[in-house]
Amino acid sequence: MTAGEELRAEYFLQRREMGVINIGGAGTVTVDGKKYEVGFKEGMYIGMGAKDIVFESDDKETPAKFYINSAPAHTTYPTVLIKPEGAPEDGVVIVKDENKVELGCLEDANHRTICKYILPGQVESCQLVMGMTKLEPGSVWNTMPCHTHDRRMEVYLYFEMPKDAFVMHYMGEPTQTRHIVMRNEEAVISPSWSIHAGSGSRAYTFIWGMVGENQDFDDMDHVANQELM
């Protein structure tokens, strides 16, 4: 991957790190000559200093779709393939059971499972934290009660929605909220001062990525429902 004029770098990951999750068909990611087979909902962490990165689909009829988050980095951590489940093998990290968290309930329309891919203690990084949340059928709220975290910004990518479905994504200061209509495979950025929550016309899945001052997943400033405006 080239750096482009904006980064003022010799190559893209000269001073950056990268997280990747495949939301399409099977594909491969080749990092400095080493090939990784990356299936649906499998991911990768690629450390600072990787120079030659190539993304390929196994079948052009069902192409891979590699969703990428990247952030500045200050040191190099190992490049690894990340799988939600399976047997450990060399160069592969399997998401730990404690990083698959079931939350919410149907009564609150937010029964969901959080699968944490990149975070301290499992896949080390400089500042990037990344994972996926799947809503169960009958549930539509992804984060409620909502929260902010002044020490990090966050990006959501919504997917696994049919063409006629949507998510009403809410952001802004808790007392001045705004909404954005999100369709399948669209992403939205929430700055650190903003809430980030959504309610869909049906169940969906979303990838979350965070960067900022710390990597503490639970570092949140919760907002009570009655405070929202």
Side-chain angles (χ1 to χ4, degrees), residues 22-28 38 55-60 62-66:
N22 183 8
I23 62 171
T28 60
V38 186
F55 299 92
E56 298 176 290
S57 297
D58 289 359
D59 183 356
K60 66 179 181 180
T62 55
K65 297 178 181 179
F66 295 109

